Amino acid sequence: MELGNDTHISKFLLLGFSEEPALWPLIFGLFLSMYLITVFGNLLIILAISSDSHLHTPMYFFLANLSFVDICFTSTTVPKMLLNILTQSKVINYAGCISQMYFFLLCVELDDFLLSAMAYDRFVAICHPLHYTVIMNPQLCGLLVLVSWIISVTNSLLQTLMVLQLSFCTDMEIPHFFCELNQMLQLACSDTFLNDMLMYFATVLLGGAPLAGVLYSYSKIVSSICGISSAQGKYRAFSTCASHLSVVSLFYCTGLGVYLSSAATQSSRSSATASVMYTVVSPMLNPFIYSLRNRDIKRALKRIVGVPVT
């Protein structure tokens, strides 16, 4: 097989979901609708939190950051796919592919860390309510978000720089709707041992540590709720973390679903379809989960649209 020098690579081909042109209008309409719902829904959450002083608390501070990251997350992949369908082109240039991969990794890791920080916030609120305002002070909240950004940017940059050192084969077809790290490594003709080790290490450490934090926090939360004697007290305690638990379950379950589908089948198209769940569907549903299950958010949204608040 002929090897290509990475300095001469000018483009990749994103194969997307279907080779059937008849399905492209349907795919375009579906993803455009989901993208607009995601952007406007998360923007409304950010606007509601920033405009209502009652929502200037640690939980909603993390939620506003999560909504911003979800907008960036979806904007990293969907607009390019929509443009390719609209222009009937599958081409993405080399720089665009590398940039897309970098920002995708960044947003995934930020989502992971922010969900972990929100789980810790709920743990403190339920298990140590008397010390909540002391522990979850603005300095700590800002530090948690800052550290999340630093770690995510560093890892994404390192992964991207490692990919830039690779040479690629003449086959530039990516059986996905965006430039995903694992797909890029499969196209490389040079040795990817270090890239693979770095990817697995980052997955275990940067993916496993936040997940372990979430599981630990909720194990303590469940134990604390079970210790409450009254049914009303249990319901009130659980309701404060129900929305976050729903979002966490959606994020990790869809991510696990993508991994299992990739392991169970050799079809990259099936993996691409499964990836839609956590790259598009999860960010789209998050605003609905928080607005439908949260009285404070619903009250703030009503004020924004001018609906009388009772």
Side-chain angles (χ1 to χ4, degrees):
M1 183 177 290
E2 181 183 349
L3 298 182
N5 190 315
D6 62 328
T7 58
H8 295 155
I9 295 171
S10 61
K11 63 183 180 181
F12 292 95
L13 297 178
L14 296 174
L15 300 185
F17 299 103
S18 175
E19 296 284 353
E20 296 292 334
L23 294 177
W24 291 352
L26 176 62
I27 295 174
F28 180 85
L30 179 64
F31 276 84
L32 178 61
S33 301
M34 290 193 293
Y35 178 66
L36 293 176
I37 292 172
T38 301
V39 172
F40 287 118
N42 283 286
L43 280 176
L44 278 176
I45 293 293
I46 295 173
L47 182 60
I49 293 172
S50 60
S51 63
D52 192 333
S53 60
H54 295 93
L55 301 181
H56 293 174
T57 62
M59 180 177 71
Y60 295 112
F61 171 72
F62 292 128
L63 176 57
N65 279 273
L66 181 67
S67 294
F68 171 74
V69 172
D70 280 345
I71 293 173
C72 298
F73 192 9
T74 310
S75 299
T76 299
T77 58
V78 176
K80 178 58 181 175
M81 185 192 70
L82 295 176
L83 179 63
N84 283 0
I85 295 176
L86 199 60
T87 59
Q88 298 185 1
S89 170
K90 299 179 181 180
V91 174
I92 181 170
N93 62 48
Y94 181 77
C97 191
I98 294 297
S99 300
Q100 190 179 67
M101 183 186 67
Y102 169 80
F103 285 108
F104 177 80
L105 290 171
L106 174 64
C107 291
V108 169
E109 290 157 15
L110 281 172
D111 256 5
D112 206 10
F113 281 116
L114 287 173
L115 288 174
S116 180
M118 294 172 76
Y120 177 70
D121 171 77
R122 293 299 84 204
F123 159 72
V124 176
I126 293 175
C127 299
H128 305 283
L130 298 179
H131 301 94
Y132 178 74
T133 55
V134 177
I135 297 175
M136 298 304 297
N137 57 72
Q139 290 77 19
L140 178 62
C141 295
L143 182 62
L144 288 174
V145 173
L146 179 62
V147 170
S148 299
W149 273 94
I150 291 174
I151 296 176
S152 300
V153 167
T154 302
N155 177 66
S156 301
L157 185 60
L158 183 59
Q159 299 274 11
T160 303
L161 290 175
M162 291 289 288
V163 171
L164 288 174
Q165 306 305 312
L166 299 176
S167 297
F168 291 89
C169 303
T170 54
D171 183 10
M172 294 293 114
E173 293 184 344
I174 300 176
H176 218 299
F177 67 98
F178 65 93
C179 294
E180 195 255 345
L181 176 60
N182 189 47
Q183 296 290 338
M184 296 287 287
L185 296 183
Q186 291 179 19
L187 289 179
C189 289
S190 52
D191 185 20
T192 62
F193 176 77
L194 290 178
N195 299 77
D196 291 332
M197 289 300 100
L198 178 62
M199 181 177 66
Y200 295 141
F201 177 78
T203 301
V204 172
L205 183 62
L206 303 184
L211 177 58
V214 170
L215 294 176
Y216 175 80
S217 296
Y218 273 101
S219 67
K220 292 296 184 179
I221 288 172
V222 170
S223 176
S224 180
I225 291 177
C226 290
I228 300 175
S229 56
S230 67
Q232 185 179 4
K234 290 182 178 180
Y235 174 79
R236 185 177 302 171
F238 179 76
S239 64
T240 63
C241 59
S243 296
H244 177 256
L245 184 59
S246 300
V247 171
V248 167
S249 301
L250 181 64
F251 179 80
Y252 285 110
C253 288
T254 52
L256 181 62
V258 171
Y259 173 78
L260 293 177
S261 67
S262 301
T265 177
Q266 298 298 318
S267 174
S268 297
R269 289 290 176 83
S270 299
S271 176
T273 303
S275 297
V276 174
M277 289 302 296
Y278 78 94
T279 58
V280 182
V281 175
S282 181
M284 179 186 69
L285 292 180
N286 287 354
F288 291 99
I289 293 173
Y290 277 103
S291 60
L292 293 177
R293 300 181 63 92
N294 191 298
R295 293 180 180 178
D296 295 330
I297 291 291
K298 285 194 287 187
R299 190 179 299 113
L301 290 174
K302 286 180 179 179
R303 290 196 184 99
I304 292 175
V305 298
V307 176
V309 178
T310 56

